[in-house]
Coordinates of all heavy atoms in Angstrom, one line a residue:
M2 N 136.0 72.6 123.1 CA 136.7 72.1 124.2 C 137.8 71.1 123.6 O 137.4 70.1 123.0 CB 135.8 71.3 125.1 CG 136.5 70.8 126.3 SD 135.4 69.8 127.4 CE 134.1 70.9 127.5
T3 N 139.1 71.4 123.8 CA 140.1 70.5 123.4 C 140.1 69.3 124.2 O 140.0 69.4 125.4 CB 141.5 71.2 123.5 OG1 141.5 72.4 122.7 CG2 142.6 70.3 123.0
G4 N 140.2 68.1 123.6 CA 140.2 66.9 124.3 C 138.8 66.5 124.8 O 138.5 65.7 125.6
G5 N 137.8 67.1 124.1 CA 136.4 67.0 124.5 C 135.8 65.6 124.3 O 134.8 65.3 124.9
L6 N 136.5 64.8 123.5 CA 136.0 63.4 123.3 C 136.7 62.4 124.2 O 136.5 61.2 124.2 CB 136.3 63.0 121.8 CG 135.5 63.8 120.8 CD1 135.9 63.3 119.4 CD2 134.0 63.6 121.0
G7 N 137.6 62.9 125.0 CA 138.4 62.1 126.0 C 137.5 61.9 127.3 O 136.4 62.5 127.4
A8 N 138.1 61.2 128.2 CA 137.4 60.8 129.4 C 137.0 62.1 130.2 O 135.9 62.3 130.6 CB 138.3 59.9 130.3
L9 N 138.0 62.9 130.5 CA 137.8 64.1 131.3 C 136.9 65.1 130.5 O 136.0 65.8 131.0 CB 139.1 64.8 131.8 CG 139.8 64.1 132.9 CD1 141.1 64.9 133.2 CD2 139.0 63.8 134.1
G10 N 137.2 65.2 129.2 CA 136.5 66.2 128.4 C 135.0 65.9 128.4 O 134.2 66.9 128.4
L11 N 134.6 64.7 128.3 CA 133.2 64.4 128.2 C 132.5 64.7 129.6 O 131.4 65.1 129.7 CB 133.0 62.9 127.8 CG 133.2 62.7 126.3 CD1 133.3 61.2 126.0 CD2 132.1 63.3 125.5
V12 N 133.3 64.5 130.7 CA 132.7 64.8 132.0 C 132.5 66.3 132.1 O 131.4 66.8 132.5 CB 133.7 64.3 133.1 CG1 133.3 64.9 134.5 CG2 133.7 62.8 133.2
V13 N 133.5 67.1 131.6 CA 133.4 68.6 131.7 C 132.3 69.0 130.8 O 131.5 69.9 131.1 CB 134.7 69.2 131.4 CG1 134.6 70.8 131.3 CG2 135.8 68.9 132.4
A14 N 132.2 68.4 129.6 CA 131.1 68.8 128.6 C 129.7 68.5 129.3 O 128.8 69.4 129.2 CB 131.3 68.0 127.3
G15 N 129.6 67.4 130.0 CA 128.3 67.1 130.6 C 128.0 68.1 131.7 O 126.9 68.5 131.9
H16 N 129.1 68.6 132.4 CA 128.9 69.6 133.5 C 128.4 70.9 132.8 O 127.5 71.5 133.3 CB 130.2 69.8 134.2 CG 130.2 70.9 135.2 ND1 129.5 70.8 136.4 CD2 130.7 72.1 135.2 CE1 129.7 71.9 137.1 NE2 130.4 72.7 136.4
L17 N 129.0 71.3 131.7 CA 128.6 72.5 131.0 C 127.2 72.5 130.6 O 126.4 73.4 130.7 CB 129.6 72.8 129.9 CG 131.0 73.1 130.2 CD1 131.8 73.3 129.0 CD2 131.1 74.4 131.0
V18 N 126.8 71.3 130.0 CA 125.4 71.2 129.5 C 124.5 71.2 130.7 O 123.4 71.8 130.6 CB 125.3 69.9 128.6 CG1 123.8 69.6 128.3 CG2 126.1 70.1 127.3
D19 N 124.8 70.5 131.7 CA 124.0 70.6 133.0 C 123.8 72.0 133.4 O 122.8 72.3 134.0 CB 124.6 69.7 134.1 CG 124.5 68.2 133.9 OD1 123.7 67.9 133.0 OD2 125.1 67.5 134.6
R20 N 124.8 72.8 133.2 CA 124.8 74.2 133.7 C 124.2 75.2 132.6 O 124.2 76.4 132.8 CB 126.2 74.7 134.0 CG 126.9 74.0 135.2 CD 126.3 74.4 136.5 NE 126.4 75.8 136.8 CZ 127.5 76.3 137.4 NH1 128.4 75.6 137.9 NH2 127.5 77.7 137.6
G21 N 123.7 74.6 131.5 CA 122.9 75.4 130.6 C 123.6 75.7 129.2 O 123.0 76.3 128.4
A22 N 124.8 75.1 129.0 CA 125.4 75.3 127.7 C 124.6 74.6 126.6 O 124.1 73.5 126.8 CB 126.9 74.8 127.7
R23 N 124.4 75.3 125.5 CA 123.5 74.8 124.5 C 124.2 74.6 123.2 O 123.7 74.0 122.2 CB 122.3 75.6 124.3 CG 121.3 75.5 125.4 CD 120.7 74.0 125.4 NE 120.0 73.7 126.6 CZ 120.5 73.0 127.7 NH1 121.8 72.7 127.7 NH2 119.7 72.7 128.7
H24 N 125.5 75.1 123.1 CA 126.3 75.0 121.8 C 127.7 74.6 122.3 O 128.4 75.4 122.9 CB 126.3 76.3 121.0 CG 124.9 76.8 120.7 ND1 124.1 76.2 119.7 CD2 124.1 77.7 121.3 CE1 122.9 76.9 119.7 NE2 122.9 77.7 120.7
V25 N 128.1 73.4 122.0 CA 129.3 72.9 122.5 C 130.1 72.3 121.3 O 129.6 71.5 120.6 CB 129.1 71.8 123.6 CG1 130.5 71.2 124.1 CG2 128.3 72.3 124.7
T26 N 131.4 72.6 121.2 CA 132.3 72.1 120.2 C 133.3 71.2 120.9 O 134.0 71.7 121.8 CB 132.9 73.2 119.3 OG1 131.9 73.9 118.6 CG2 133.9 72.5 118.3
L27 N 133.4 70.0 120.5 CA 134.4 69.1 121.1 C 135.5 68.8 120.1 O 135.2 68.5 118.9 CB 133.7 67.7 121.5 CG 132.5 67.9 122.4 CD1 131.9 66.5 122.7 CD2 132.9 68.5 123.7
L28 N 136.7 69.0 120.5 CA 137.9 69.0 119.6 C 138.8 67.8 119.9 O 139.1 67.6 121.0 CB 138.6 70.3 119.8 CG 139.6 70.8 118.7 CD1 138.8 71.2 117.5 CD2 140.4 71.9 119.3
G29 N 139.2 67.1 118.8 CA 140.2 66.0 119.0 C 140.8 65.8 117.6 O 140.3 66.2 116.6
R30 N 141.9 65.1 117.6 CA 142.6 64.8 116.3 C 141.9 63.7 115.5 O 142.0 63.7 114.3 CB 144.1 64.4 116.5 CG 144.9 65.6 117.1 CD 146.2 65.1 117.6 NE 146.1 64.1 118.7 CZ 147.0 63.6 119.3 NH1 148.3 63.9 119.1 NH2 146.8 62.7 120.3
S31 N 141.2 62.9 116.2 CA 140.6 61.7 115.5 C 139.2 61.4 116.0 O 138.9 61.9 117.2 CB 141.5 60.5 115.6 OG 141.7 60.3 117.0
A32 N 138.4 60.7 115.3 CA 137.1 60.2 115.7 C 137.3 59.2 116.8 O 138.3 58.5 116.8 CB 136.4 59.6 114.6
R33 N 136.4 59.2 117.8 CA 136.5 58.3 118.9 C 135.1 57.6 119.0 O 134.2 58.2 119.7 CB 136.9 58.9 120.2 CG 138.3 59.3 120.3 CD 138.8 59.6 121.7 NE 140.2 59.7 121.8 CZ 140.9 59.5 122.9 NH1 140.2 59.2 124.0 NH2 142.2 59.6 123.0
P34 N 134.9 56.5 118.3 CA 133.5 55.9 118.3 C 133.0 55.6 119.8 O 131.8 55.6 120.0 CB 133.7 54.6 117.5 CG 134.9 54.9 116.7 CD 135.8 55.8 117.5
E35 N 134.0 55.3 120.7 CA 133.6 55.0 122.0 C 132.9 56.2 122.8 O 132.3 56.0 123.8 CB 134.8 54.5 122.8 CG 135.9 55.5 123.1 CD 136.9 55.5 122.0 OE1 136.6 55.1 120.8 OE2 138.1 55.8 122.3
S36 N 133.1 57.4 122.2 CA 132.5 58.6 122.8 C 131.1 58.9 122.2 O 130.4 59.8 122.7 CB 133.4 59.8 122.6 OG 133.4 60.1 121.2
D37 N 130.6 58.1 121.2 CA 129.4 58.3 120.6 C 128.2 58.4 121.5 O 127.3 59.3 121.5 CB 129.1 57.3 119.5 CG 129.9 57.5 118.2 OD1 130.7 58.5 118.2 OD2 129.9 56.6 117.3
A38 N 128.2 57.4 122.5 CA 127.0 57.4 123.4 C 127.0 58.6 124.3 O 125.9 59.2 124.5 CB 127.1 56.1 124.3
A39 N 128.2 59.1 124.8 CA 128.2 60.2 125.6 C 127.8 61.5 124.8 O 127.1 62.4 125.4 CB 129.6 60.4 126.2
V40 N 128.3 61.6 123.6 CA 127.9 62.7 122.7 C 126.4 62.7 122.5 O 125.7 63.7 122.5 CB 128.7 62.7 121.4 CG1 128.1 63.8 120.5 CG2 130.2 63.0 121.7
G41 N 125.8 61.5 122.3 CA 124.4 61.4 122.1 C 123.6 61.8 123.3 O 122.6 62.5 123.2
A42 N 124.2 61.6 124.5 CA 123.5 62.0 125.7 C 123.5 63.5 125.9 O 122.5 64.1 126.3 CB 124.2 61.3 126.9
L43 N 124.6 64.1 125.5 CA 124.7 65.6 125.5 C 123.6 66.2 124.6 O 122.9 67.2 125.0 CB 126.1 66.1 125.1 CG 127.2 65.7 126.0 CD1 128.5 66.1 125.3 CD2 127.1 66.3 127.4
R44 N 123.5 65.6 123.4 CA 122.5 66.1 122.4 C 121.1 65.8 123.0 O 120.2 66.7 122.8 CB 122.7 65.4 121.1 CG 123.9 65.9 120.4 CD 124.2 65.2 119.1 NE 125.3 65.8 118.4 CZ 126.2 65.1 117.7 NH1 126.1 63.8 117.5 NH2 127.2 65.8 117.1
A45 N 120.9 64.7 123.6 CA 119.5 64.4 124.1 C 119.2 65.3 125.2 O 118.0 65.6 125.5 CB 119.5 62.9 124.6
A46 N 120.2 65.9 125.9 CA 119.9 66.8 127.0 C 119.7 68.2 126.5 O 119.4 69.2 127.2 CB 121.1 66.8 128.0
G47 N 119.7 68.4 125.1 CA 119.3 69.7 124.5 C 120.4 70.5 124.0 O 120.2 71.6 123.5
A48 N 121.7 70.0 123.9 CA 122.8 70.7 123.4 C 123.0 70.4 121.9 O 122.9 69.3 121.5 CB 124.1 70.4 124.2
E49 N 123.4 71.5 121.2 CA 123.9 71.3 119.9 C 125.4 71.0 120.0 O 126.2 71.8 120.5 CB 123.7 72.6 119.0 CG 124.4 72.4 117.6 CD 124.6 73.8 117.0 OE1 124.0 74.8 117.4 OE2 125.4 73.9 116.0
V50 N 125.8 69.8 119.7 CA 127.2 69.4 119.9 C 127.9 69.2 118.5 O 127.4 68.4 117.7 CB 127.3 68.1 120.7 CG1 128.8 67.7 120.9 CG2 126.6 68.2 122.0
R51 N 129.0 69.9 118.3 CA 129.7 69.7 117.1 C 131.0 69.0 117.5 O 131.7 69.3 118.4 CB 130.1 71.1 116.5 CG 128.9 71.9 116.1 CD 129.4 73.2 115.4 NE 128.4 74.2 115.4 CZ 128.5 75.4 114.8 NH1 129.6 75.7 114.3 NH2 127.5 76.2 114.8
V52 N 131.4 68.0 116.7 CA 132.6 67.3 116.8 C 133.6 67.7 115.7 O 133.2 67.6 114.5 CB 132.4 65.8 116.8 CG1 133.8 65.0 116.9 CG2 131.5 65.4 118.0
V53 N 134.7 68.3 116.1 CA 135.6 68.9 115.1 C 136.9 68.2 115.2 O 137.5 68.0 116.3 CB 135.8 70.4 115.3 CG1 136.8 71.0 114.3 CG2 134.4 71.1 115.1
A54 N 137.4 67.7 114.0 CA 138.8 67.0 114.0 C 139.8 68.1 113.8 O 139.8 68.8 112.7 CB 138.8 66.0 112.9
A55 N 140.7 68.3 114.8 CA 141.8 69.3 114.6 C 142.8 69.0 115.7 O 142.5 68.5 116.8 CB 141.3 70.7 114.8
D56 N 144.1 69.3 115.3 CA 145.2 69.2 116.2 C 145.5 70.6 116.7 O 145.9 71.5 115.9 CB 146.4 68.6 115.4 CG 147.6 68.3 116.3 OD1 147.7 69.0 117.4 OD2 148.4 67.5 115.9
V57 N 145.4 70.8 118.0 CA 145.6 72.2 118.5 C 147.1 72.6 118.4 O 147.3 73.8 118.6 CB 145.2 72.3 120.0 CG1 143.7 72.2 120.1 CG2 145.9 71.4 120.9
T58 N 148.0 71.7 118.1 CA 149.4 72.2 117.9 C 149.6 72.7 116.5 O 150.7 73.1 116.2 CB 150.4 71.0 118.2 OG1 150.2 70.0 117.2 CG2 150.2 70.5 119.6
D59 N 148.6 72.6 115.6 CA 148.7 73.0 114.2 C 147.9 74.3 114.1 O 146.6 74.3 114.3 CB 148.1 72.0 113.3 CG 148.2 72.4 111.8 OD1 147.7 73.5 111.5 OD2 148.7 71.6 111.0
R60 N 148.6 75.4 114.0 CA 148.0 76.8 114.0 C 146.8 76.9 113.0 O 145.7 77.4 113.3 CB 149.0 77.8 113.7 CG 148.5 79.3 113.9 CD 149.6 80.3 113.6 NE 150.7 80.2 114.6 CZ 150.7 81.0 115.7 NH1 149.7 81.8 115.9 NH2 151.7 80.9 116.5
G61 N 147.0 76.4 111.8 CA 145.9 76.5 110.8 C 144.7 75.7 111.2 O 143.6 76.1 111.0
Q62 N 144.9 74.4 111.7 CA 143.8 73.6 112.0 C 143.0 74.2 113.2 O 141.8 74.2 113.3 CB 144.2 72.2 112.4 CG 144.7 71.4 111.2 CD 145.1 69.9 111.6 OE1 144.5 69.4 112.6 NE2 146.0 69.4 110.9
L63 N 143.8 74.8 114.2 CA 143.2 75.4 115.3 C 142.4 76.7 114.9 O 141.2 76.9 115.4 CB 144.2 75.8 116.4 CG 143.7 76.4 117.6 CD1 142.7 75.5 118.3 CD2 144.8 76.8 118.6
A64 N 142.9 77.5 114.0 CA 142.2 78.7 113.5 C 140.9 78.3 112.9 O 139.8 78.9 113.1 CB 143.1 79.5 112.6
A65 N 140.9 77.2 112.1 CA 139.7 76.8 111.4 C 138.7 76.3 112.4 O 137.5 76.5 112.2 CB 140.1 75.7 110.4
A66 N 139.2 75.6 113.4 CA 138.2 75.0 114.4 C 137.6 76.1 115.2 O 136.4 76.1 115.5 CB 139.0 74.1 115.3
V67 N 138.4 77.2 115.6 CA 137.8 78.3 116.3 C 136.8 79.0 115.5 O 135.7 79.4 116.0 CB 139.0 79.2 116.8 CG1 138.4 80.5 117.3 CG2 139.8 78.6 117.8
A68 N 137.1 79.2 114.2 CA 136.2 79.9 113.3 C 134.9 79.1 113.2 O 133.8 79.7 113.3 CB 136.8 80.1 111.9
A69 N 135.0 77.8 113.1 CA 133.8 77.0 113.0 C 133.0 77.0 114.3 O 131.8 77.1 114.2 CB 134.2 75.5 112.6
A70 N 133.7 77.0 115.4 CA 133.0 77.0 116.7 C 132.2 78.2 116.9 O 131.2 78.3 117.5 CB 134.0 76.7 117.8
G71 N 132.7 79.4 116.4 CA 132.1 80.7 116.6 C 131.0 81.0 115.6 O 130.4 82.0 115.7
D72 N 130.9 80.1 114.6 CA 129.9 80.3 113.6 C 128.5 80.5 114.1 O 127.8 79.6 114.5 CB 129.9 79.2 112.6 CG 129.0 79.4 111.4 OD1 128.7 80.5 111.1 OD2 128.5 78.4 110.8
G73 N 128.0 81.8 114.1 CA 126.7 82.1 114.6 C 126.6 82.2 116.1 O 125.5 82.4 116.7
H74 N 127.7 81.9 116.8 CA 127.7 81.9 118.3 C 128.8 82.7 118.8 O 129.9 82.8 118.2 CB 127.7 80.5 118.9 CG 126.7 79.6 118.3 ND1 125.4 79.7 118.6 CD2 126.8 78.5 117.5 CE1 124.7 78.8 117.9 NE2 125.5 78.1 117.2
R75 N 128.7 83.2 120.0 CA 129.8 83.9 120.7 C 130.6 82.8 121.3 O 130.1 82.0 122.1 CB 129.2 84.9 121.7 CG 130.3 85.8 122.3 CD 129.7 87.1 122.9 NE 128.7 86.8 123.9 CZ 129.0 86.8 125.2 NH1 130.2 87.0 125.6 NH2 128.1 86.5 126.1
L76 N 131.9 82.8 121.0 CA 132.8 81.8 121.5 C 133.2 82.2 123.0 O 133.7 83.3 123.2 CB 134.0 81.6 120.7 CG 135.0 80.5 121.0 CD1 134.3 79.2 120.9 CD2 136.2 80.5 120.1
R77 N 132.9 81.3 123.9 CA 133.3 81.6 125.3 C 134.1 80.4 125.9 O 134.1 79.4 125.3 CB 132.0 81.8 126.2 CG 131.3 83.1 125.8 CD 130.2 83.4 126.8 NE 129.2 82.4 126.8 CZ 128.1 82.5 127.5 NH1 127.9 83.5 128.3 NH2 127.1 81.6 127.4
G78 N 134.8 80.7 126.9 CA 135.5 79.6 127.5 C 136.4 80.1 128.7 O 136.2 81.3 129.1
W79 N 137.2 79.3 129.2 CA 138.1 79.7 130.3 C 139.4 78.9 130.2 O 139.5 77.9 129.5 CB 137.4 79.5 131.6 CG 137.4 78.1 132.1 CD1 138.3 77.5 132.9 CD2 136.4 77.1 131.8 NE1 137.9 76.2 133.1 CE2 136.8 75.9 132.5 CE3 135.2 77.1 131.0 CZ2 136.0 74.8 132.4 CZ3 134.5 76.0 131.0 CH2 134.9 74.8 131.6
C80 N 140.4 79.5 130.8 CA 141.7 78.8 130.9 C 142.0 78.5 132.4 O 141.8 79.4 133.2 CB 142.8 79.7 130.3 SG 144.4 79.0 130.5
M81 N 142.4 77.3 132.7 CA 142.6 76.9 134.1 C 144.0 77.3 134.5 O 144.4 77.2 135.7 CB 142.4 75.4 134.2 CG 140.9 75.1 134.0 SD 140.6 73.3 134.0 CE 140.7 73.0 135.8
R82 N 144.9 77.8 133.6 CA 146.2 78.2 134.0 C 146.2 79.5 134.7 O 145.5 80.5 134.3 CB 147.1 78.3 132.8 CG 147.6 77.0 132.3 CD 148.5 77.1 131.1 NE 149.6 78.0 131.4 CZ 150.3 78.6 130.4 NH1 150.1 78.4 129.2 NH2 151.3 79.4 130.7
R83 N 147.0 79.7 135.7 CA 147.0 80.9 136.5 C 147.6 82.0 135.5 O 148.5 81.8 134.8 CB 148.0 80.8 137.7 CG 148.1 82.0 138.5 CD 149.0 81.8 139.7 NE 148.5 80.6 140.5 CZ 149.2 80.1 141.5 NH1 150.4 80.5 141.7 NH2 148.7 79.1 142.2
G84 N 146.9 83.1 135.5 CA 147.4 84.3 134.7 C 146.7 84.4 133.3 O 146.9 85.4 132.6
C85 N 145.9 83.4 133.0 CA 145.2 83.5 131.7 C 144.1 84.5 131.8 O 143.4 84.6 132.8 CB 144.7 82.2 131.2 SG 145.9 81.0 130.8
Ligands
LIG125 N1 141.5 60.8 133.6 C1 142.1 61.1 134.7 O1 141.8 60.6 135.8 C2 143.2 62.1 134.8 C3 143.8 62.5 136.0 C4 144.7 63.5 136.1 C5 145.2 64.1 134.9 N2 144.7 63.7 133.7 C6 145.2 64.3 132.5 O2 144.1 65.1 131.8 C7 144.3 65.0 130.4 C8 143.0 64.3 129.8 O3 142.9 63.0 130.4 P1 141.8 62.0 129.8 O4 141.7 60.9 130.7 O5 140.5 62.8 129.4 O6 142.6 61.6 128.4 P2 142.0 61.0 127.1 O7 140.8 60.2 127.4 O8 143.1 60.3 126.4 O9 141.5 62.2 126.3 C9 142.5 63.1 125.7 C10 141.8 63.9 124.6 O10 142.6 64.9 124.1 C11 142.7 64.8 122.7 N3 144.0 65.3 122.2 C12 145.2 64.9 122.6 N4 146.2 65.6 121.9 C13 145.5 66.5 121.2 C14 145.9 67.5 120.2 N5 147.2 67.8 120.0 N6 144.9 68.2 119.6 C15 143.6 68.0 119.8 N7 143.1 67.0 120.7 C16 144.1 66.3 121.3 C17 142.5 63.3 122.4 O11 142.0 63.0 121.1 P3 143.0 62.5 119.9 O12 144.0 61.6 120.4 O13 142.1 61.9 118.9 O14 143.5 63.9 119.4 C18 141.5 62.9 123.4 O15 140.1 63.3 123.0 C19 145.6 64.2 130.2 O16 146.6 65.1 130.0 C20 145.7 63.4 131.4 O17 147.1 63.1 131.7 C21 143.7 62.8 133.6

């Protein structure tokens, strides 16, 4: 999830874990120590949470992040833009 360490991202991640997601990758350009507690809560709820540092505007970084997220798991998601 891009922006997964941000305010909205952590709310959506919590929603996904509540709905049964067990493998979640949260993506941001930098570490956000203020998100540690929320990430810990997701893990305590039973999810394997990976935090990946990547800039989605950098094709190489994004490709590496997608490859890492799919490691051993089927990558799933959705796009909120009409037509995706
Ligand atoms: N919170 C609200 O009530 C609200 C309401 C309406 C709309 N929005 C919009 O929804 C979006 C998210 O809001 P938010 O409150 O969750 O913001 P936020 O707390 O600042 O979180 C944004 C997240 O996106 C990451 N990010 C930004 N650019 C990135 C990039 N190029 N590659 C990878 N990660 C990137 C940031 O991490 P890094 O900076 O470390 O990369 C951060 O984790 C914003 O566009 C905001 O304008 C928010």
Side-chain angles (χ1 to χ4, degrees):
M2 183 184 313
T3 302
L6 296 175
L9 288 183
L11 286 167
V12 170
V13 175
H16 175 72
L17 292 175
V18 170
D19 285 348
R20 298 285 301 268
R23 286 297 169 262
H24 305 281
V25 178
T26 298
L27 306 178
L28 199 72
R30 291 168 298 185
S31 55
R33 288 199 169 200
E35 65 272 26
S36 67
D37 286 354
V40 171
L43 296 173
R44 289 177 173 143
E49 175 200 343
V50 181
R51 300 181 194 183
V52 176
V53 175
D56 184 336
V57 293
T58 67
D59 182 305
R60 186 180 292 269
Q62 289 183 31
L63 181 59
V67 168
D72 182 24
H74 306 291
R75 189 158 58 95
L76 187 60
R77 293 191 293 185
W79 76 92
C80 175
M81 296 174 74
R82 282 180 55 199
R83 185 177 300 166
C85 290

